[in-house]
């Protein structure tokens, strides 16, 4: 991508079209993508959700599925604001993801000050992630993993 925009890999609440559209009106969905060598974890206490929020952490042999978007520079700045980059919530990280069998570079967000142990997310947050995964047609096996999260955290 050129300096005017970037690719963005969403794996948490930004999977949901209504969330990404609200923050990034020029976003263009490129397709489902896989981030290899990472796992999904809930290591940030979100002030917005008042509960645990999603993170990706290095984990050889694991993968996280998400939505890949093309964003304008302005939309990426808006995401920085949403993800509290200036206040040490998340930081932008460059990653390589697989899209349609090819590797592409993308930005994603990772938690800056990770909790030692996972934090329980709100059921509504998990439902938003799951709805986004379904709307973005992520693989059935990944959707099943997301469906299992409420029980894992004792929310079912």
């Amino acid at each position: 991508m050129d300096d005017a925009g970037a690719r963005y890999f969403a794996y948490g609440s930004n999977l949901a079209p209504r969330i990404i559209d609200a923050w990034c009106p020029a976003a263009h969905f490129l397709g489902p993508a896989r981030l290899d060598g990472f796992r999904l974890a809930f290591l940030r206490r979100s002030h917005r959700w008042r509960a645990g929020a999603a993170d990706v952490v290095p984990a050889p042999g694991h993968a996280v599925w998400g939505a890949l978007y093309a964003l304008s520079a302005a939309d990426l700045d808006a995401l920085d604001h949403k993800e509290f980059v200036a206040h040490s919530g998340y930081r932008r990280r460059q990653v390589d993801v697989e899209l349609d069998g090819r590797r592409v570079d993308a930005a994603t967000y990772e938690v800056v000050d990770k909790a030692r142990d996972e934090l329980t997310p709100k059921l509504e947050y998990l439902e938003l992630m799951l709805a986004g995964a379904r709307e973005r047609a992520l693989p059935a096996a990944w959707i099943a993993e997301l469906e299992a999260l409420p029980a894992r955290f004792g929310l079912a």
Side-chain angles (χ1 to χ4, degrees):
M1 307 274 328
D2 61 28
D3 291 335
R7 285 180 288 260
Y8 164 59
F9 176 76
Y11 58 86
S13 62
N14 292 338
L15 276 171
R18 71 178 176 89
I19 301 296
I20 198 72
D21 291 348
W23 285 90
C24 303
H28 174 70
F29 177 60
L30 299 173
R34 188 183 71 228
L35 175 61
D36 293 324
F38 287 81
R39 69 177 178 83
L40 184 68
F42 296 84
L43 299 174
R44 179 174 186 271
R45 178 159 307 283
S46 168
H47 296 290
R48 184 177 293 124
W49 288 96
R50 299 187 191 281
D55 187 15
V56 287
V57 295
H62 291 263
V64 174
W65 279 90
L68 191 64
Y69 298 97
L71 298 182
S72 69
D75 282 345
L76 200 54
D77 287 344
L79 275 183
D80 283 353
H81 177 75
K82 177 187 183 284
E83 303 301 345
F84 298 101
V85 168
H87 304 287
S88 297
Y90 287 85
R91 70 177 147 237
R92 208 183 308 163
R93 175 187 182 133
Q94 288 302 122
V95 294
D96 288 325
V97 298
E98 185 173 309
L99 173 71
D100 296 328
R102 61 187 167 80
R103 305 298 296 172
V104 297
D105 66 309
T108 197
Y109 291 90
E110 67 178 347
V111 171
V112 174
D113 293 319
K114 298 176 189 310
R116 187 175 44 181
D117 298 314
E118 284 201 284
L119 304 167
T120 301
K122 280 196 173 175
L123 183 58
E124 295 84 1
Y125 181 83
L126 297 177
E127 289 170 344
L128 184 61
M129 288 176 62
L130 181 58
R134 288 179 176 143
E135 289 178 79
R136 294 307 190 195
L138 300 189
W142 185 251
I143 288 173
E145 284 191 43
L146 295 179
E147 288 172 337
L149 289 174
R152 183 175 127 204
F153 286 103
L155 301 172

